[in-house]
Amino acid sequence: MKLTEAIAERVKELLNEKGLKPYYLFKVGGIPRSTISDVLNVKKKKVSSDTIYQICSTLGISLADFYTSDFFEDLDD
């Protein structure tokens, strides 16, 4: 799995755990819809650390909690 795919899966997992839709990241977090769509649909080769921080902040978790997931083990180059 590539890093961008792992990030997308982790965001989906967190939204599911909290019973939220991607729209919540836009409405509450102020993250542009296009950015959320790009992250979740793996349309970009890189996801900025600022975007990940905004997602974490909106979901009320730390960056460490975000990256503490099996999705980030054994990533492809």
Side-chain angles (χ1 to χ4, degrees):
M1 180 180 294
K2 296 201 178 287
L3 179 59
T4 53
E5 294 168 333
I7 291 169
E9 292 303 316
R10 182 64 171 144
V11 173
K12 290 174 189 175
E13 177 183 58
L14 290 166
L15 288 171
N16 187 47
E17 285 175 2
K18 295 179 178 289
L20 301 171
K21 302 283 184 200
Y23 180 76
Y24 181 84
L25 298 174
F26 163 71
K27 186 70 174 172
V28 175
I31 303 166
R33 286 183 184 197
S34 60
T35 300
I36 297 164
S37 176
D38 288 349
V39 169
L40 294 177
N41 295 306
V42 193
K43 290 187 178 180
K44 290 189 176 184
K45 292 183 181 181
K46 296 180 181 181
V47 179
S48 75
S49 56
D50 184 55
T51 297
I52 295 170
Y53 177 79
Q54 285 180 291
I55 291 169
C56 290
S57 179
T58 303
L59 296 177
I61 65 167
S62 69
L63 285 168
D65 288 338
F66 182 84
Y67 287 109
T68 302
S69 169
D70 291 341
F71 291 121
F72 298 102
E73 294 182 18
D74 300 319
L75 294 174
D76 297 336
D77 290 335

